[in-house]
């Protein structure tokens, strides 16, 4: 507020009618102030969910001296990005990206004033159910071996998920719980339609 030239006048009196005065000018130079982060970030993100954080930043020089802030993300996490104008950080972690990440946001006033906000973003893995990708084999012949291998995919195998298989169906059918092969030989009494249900379990609640 006080930046600029100020004229100072000094008057001196000896009390007996003698006076003297001196005037001089003081030039007040502006000192740039770095911006300040005034918001607290959300530090938890769930896998496959959008994370958004818009920091609030105060710069006391913006109103009087026209400071305009820009933002940069100093974080190696490829799934995060930043809006350089608003400072909004966004991203959706997938798979192994859902882990603890150090986030560093830099605010720059363009005049040498820099400030960073650093925090640890805790990623939480969300379990995904396996998906069966095998087409059903719907025809079996009496007295002939029926065999079908169930194929399933689980995007969480990178987290150690191990699949097991279960079968609900006629007594002449059985399933290998480890590799998912269904087999059996129907006899005369088994001729007709049979309802077969297969479940694939990842051992972590995903079926």
């Amino acid at each position: 507020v006080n930046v600029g030239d100020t004229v100072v006048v000094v008057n001196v009196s000896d009390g007996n009618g003698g006076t003297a005065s001196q005037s001089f000018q003081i030039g007040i130079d502006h000192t740039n102030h770095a911006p300040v982060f005034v918001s607290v970030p959300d530090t938890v993100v769930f896998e496959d969910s959008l994370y958004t954080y818009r920091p609030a930043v105060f710069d006391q020089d913006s109103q009087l001296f026209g400071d305009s802030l820009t933002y940069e993300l100093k974080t190696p996490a490829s799934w995060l990005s930043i809006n350089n104008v608003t400072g909004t950080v966004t991203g959706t972690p997938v798979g192994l990206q859902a882990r603890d990440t150090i986030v560093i946001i830099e605010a720059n006033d363009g005049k040498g004033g820099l400030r960073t906000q650093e925090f640890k973003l805790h990623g939480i893995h969300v379990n995904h159910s396996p998906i069966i990708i095998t087409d059903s084999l719907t025809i079996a012949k009496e007295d002939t071996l029926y065999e079908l291998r169930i194929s399933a995919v689980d995007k969480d195998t990178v987290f150690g998920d191990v699949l097991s298989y279960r079968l609900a169906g006629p007594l002449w059918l059985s399933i290998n719980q480890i590799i998912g092969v269904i087999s059996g030989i129907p006899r005369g009494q088994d001729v007709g339609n049979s309802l077969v249900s297969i479940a694939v379990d990842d051992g972590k609640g995903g079926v």
Side-chain angles (χ1 to χ4, degrees):
V1 177
N2 299 312
V3 172
D5 294 335
T6 300
V7 176
V8 179
V9 179
V10 180
N11 295 311
V12 181
S13 173
D14 64 6
N16 294 312
T19 61
S21 65
Q22 183 183 37
S23 64
F24 55 93
Q25 185 171 279
I26 298 176
I28 302 175
D29 294 330
H30 167 58
T31 298
N32 188 57
H33 302 85
V36 178
F37 285 85
V38 295
S39 58
V40 178
D42 184 358
T43 58
V44 175
V45 60
F46 290 90
E47 181 185 1
D48 300 328
S49 295
L50 177 65
Y51 174 83
T52 301
Y53 168 54
R54 181 170 182 170
V57 183
F58 172 73
D59 188 333
Q60 69 182 72
D61 296 333
S62 60
Q63 186 172 359
L64 290 175
F65 302 101
D67 286 17
S68 181
L69 300 180
T70 58
Y71 300 87
E72 187 175 351
L73 191 62
K74 302 287 189 177
T75 303
S78 60
W79 63 274
L80 284 174
S81 62
I82 193 168
N83 184 305
N84 298 115
V85 177
T86 66
T88 301
V89 177
T90 58
T92 302
V94 177
L96 290 176
Q97 294 174 338
R99 56 187 175 186
D100 289 352
T101 301
I102 300 299
V103 179
I104 303 173
I105 304 169
E106 180 183 85
N108 188 334
D109 65 8
K111 298 178 180 179
L114 301 174
R115 189 81 69 181
T116 59
Q117 184 178 55
E118 179 176 334
F119 58 94
K120 182 168 72 173
L121 183 58
H122 179 54
I124 298 177
H125 166 58
V126 176
N127 190 56
H128 302 84
S129 295
I131 299 173
I132 296 175
I133 58 175
T134 304
D135 292 329
S136 299
L137 180 59
T138 58
I139 300 296
K141 293 184 178 181
E142 181 184 356
D143 299 329
T144 302
L145 176 65
Y146 172 92
E147 190 172 80
L148 175 66
R149 179 164 187 163
I150 302 301
S151 294
V153 294
D154 187 335
K155 63 190 301 184
D156 294 333
T157 54
V158 293
F159 296 97
D161 286 18
V162 177
L163 302 182
S164 61
Y165 300 82
R166 299 195 304 268
L167 171 70
L171 294 178
W172 62 270
L173 275 178
S174 63
I175 191 169
N176 184 307
Q177 296 181 338
I178 298 174
I179 63 175
V181 174
I182 301 173
S183 61
I185 300 175
R187 302 303 181 185
Q189 68 270 20
D190 301 316
V191 173
N193 293 328
S194 298
L195 182 63
V196 178
S197 177
I198 303 152
V200 184
D201 192 330
D202 65 7
K204 298 179 180 179
V207 180

